[in-house]
Amino acid sequence: MATTISNSTNFSFEQLLRPHLKSIEAYSSARSEFSGSANVFLDANENPYSEQFPYHRYPDPLQKALKAAISGLKGISADHLFLGNGSDEAIDLLMRAFCEPKTDNILILPPTYGMYKTSAEINGIEIKRVNLEAGSFELDAQKALDAVDKHTKMIFICTPNNPTGNNISDESIKHIARQFKGLVVVDEAYIDFSPNSSWIHFIKDYPNMVVLQTLSKAWGLAGIRVGMAFAHPSLIQILNTIKPPYNINSLSQEQALKVLAQPEKMRNTTEGVIKMRQKMAKELLDIPYVKQVFPSHANFLLVQVSEADKLCILLREKGVIIRNRSKEVHCEGCVRITIGTEYENNILMREMKALAEVL
Ligand SMILES: *Cc1c(COP(=O)(O)O)cnc(C)c1O
């Protein structure tokens, strides 16, 4: 049966929701209306003569098997979980659910992940900014709270933060979650590289909190586009109502299930990345034009050099691509370097050392 968003009760999701969505019905796909078992499926205009078995069928619109696996791994029930075509889809859907174009705004904390801004701009939503502190990239929670107005629907907190690599302090996040009347979106794309524990288990204490994670980074599945949002079931229901019906394709659901069945492999590779990150951080500091390597809890390093633009251009000529972040606020002279394979890292270090002659 079609469900409407107005079933949501707790907190004030109802009040936060864009008015025209309060009575909207989800598109009712053939696969979502029938959820029992049957032998004859003649409800979705698929091609039964196809040799593409089982891909001639539409995928499960609510990804039940995949959600069950994630729910087991994370220790939280599946009704607290939304899956998106990458967490970027969850970011976009959150804005489309709660922010009225030209009226509402979001608060971001630069320097941070670029999609919050891009998604807001695409959706015609105003952006407020409170910069993280220069040098430490810590968050002044009170400053953030002072910047919001009655149209601020969400605050995006990325921890560990991209591109700086540091964790945002627990106290700041709690302070904001307690005081802010809108949604607090905690983006944990890099959580598996961090010693900190996830905020997933706090969504019961803070009903206005949404935690984003992804299979793109530590899980090594950037190509299949699967992202997760953990939140109160009423909010999950809202996202499910407005998402494209078949947003995660069958191949992605299948591959995700396979990889999630072996979490120890993910943990082994992330441990390797962390060791490599520590080694590279030290080695980079030996290069004369490297001024600073910021502490990182992610799978990349933010590195301050004397001439970032020039370094990126010269490395590119050698076939080595790193990310220039020097135009970001408080990131003067900074580049972001992903921890790669030993082979890639060795080439990067060799080329960077060689450039000490000219930089
Ligand atoms: C990489 C990244 C994502 C993207 O996740 P997808 O699931 O690949 O869309 C989200 N947030 C941050 C902070 C990221 O760095």
Side-chain angles (χ1 to χ4, degrees), residues 339-359:
I339 308 305
T341 62
E342 196 158 15
Y343 172 79
E344 291 173 311
N345 299 339
N346 286 339
I347 293 177
L348 170 90
M349 293 307 308
R350 188 187 73 212
E351 297 299 344
M352 277 189 73
K353 281 175 192 161
L355 289 173
E357 313 262 303
V358 288
L359 280 169

Side-chain angles (χ1 to χ4, degrees), residues 77 92 96 101 104 106 140 213 219 226 242 302 307 353:
S77 65
D92 179 65
R96 286 164 60 189
D104 290 332
I106 61 161
D140 182 334
Q213 293 189 3
W219 288 98
V226 177
I242 66 169
L302 187 71
E307 293 178 85
K353 281 175 192 161

Side-chain angles (χ1 to χ4, degrees), residues 174-194:
K174 280 186 186 163
H175 186 53
I176 289 178
R178 283 199 199 105
Q179 301 296 323
F180 181 51
K181 299 289 174 255
L183 296 179
V184 180
V185 184
V186 180
D187 187 342
E188 295 186 333
Y190 300 97
I191 187 68
D192 295 304
F193 300 102
S194 165

Side-chain angles (χ1 to χ4, degrees), residues 9-10 111 121 123 316 323:
T9 45
N10 304 53
E121 282 176 347
N123 288 302
R316 177 178 293 236
R323 193 104 157 107

Side-chain angles (χ1 to χ4, degrees), residues 131-303:
N131 295 339
L132 297 174
E133 301 298 301
S136 67
F137 301 118
E138 308 248 6
L139 169 61
D140 182 334
Q142 195 52 50
K143 226 197 257 177
L145 288 168
D146 290 344
V148 307
D149 62 24
K150 67 178 196 305
H151 294 296
T152 309
K153 291 301 186 74
M154 36 190 128
I155 302 179
F156 283 88
I157 304 177
C158 186
T159 183
N161 186 40
N162 177 5
T164 60
N166 61 306
N167 282 311
I168 303 301
S169 79
D170 291 1
E171 301 76 63
S172 308
I173 295 177
K174 280 186 186 163
H175 186 53
I176 289 178
R178 283 199 199 105
Q179 301 296 323
F180 181 51
K181 299 289 174 255
L183 296 179
V184 180
V185 184
V186 180
D187 187 342
E188 295 186 333
Y190 300 97
I191 187 68
D192 295 304
F193 300 102
S194 165
N196 282 28
S197 50
S198 169
W199 284 92
I200 285 179
H201 303 290
F202 286 89
I203 61 180
K204 288 177 180 137
D205 300 333
Y206 305 110
N208 58 337
M209 186 178 276
V210 183
V211 178
L212 302 179
Q213 293 189 3
T214 178
L215 299 188
S216 298
K217 307 287 160 62
W219 288 98
L221 288 170
I224 72 169
R225 314 301 303 127
V226 177
M228 303 164 259
F230 299 88
H232 189 283
S234 301
L235 188 141
I236 298 303
Q237 197 193 327
I238 290 171
L239 296 179
N240 281 335
T241 303
I242 66 169
K243 81 183 181 77
Y246 302 113
N247 62 328
I248 317 270
N249 69 69
S250 304
L251 291 163
S252 294
Q253 294 191 42
E254 232 177 76
Q255 187 64 18
L257 265 173
K258 265 189 219 161
V259 173
L260 288 167
Q262 298 182 301
E264 66 288 350
K265 280 196 181 169
M266 180 277 277
R267 283 181 208 116
N268 285 341
T269 58
T270 50
E271 270 168 35
V273 168
I274 291 166
K275 279 193 194 120
M276 194 74 86
R277 180 188 74 206
Q278 288 158 344
K279 177 168 166 264
M280 282 177 70
K282 263 195 219 134
E283 275 187 54
L284 283 163
L285 280 173
D286 291 336
I287 298 173
Y289 61 83
V290 170
K291 292 180 172 173
Q292 199 171 353
V293 178
F294 291 90
S296 171
H297 288 125
N299 64 339
F300 55 80
L301 289 166
L302 187 71
V303 182

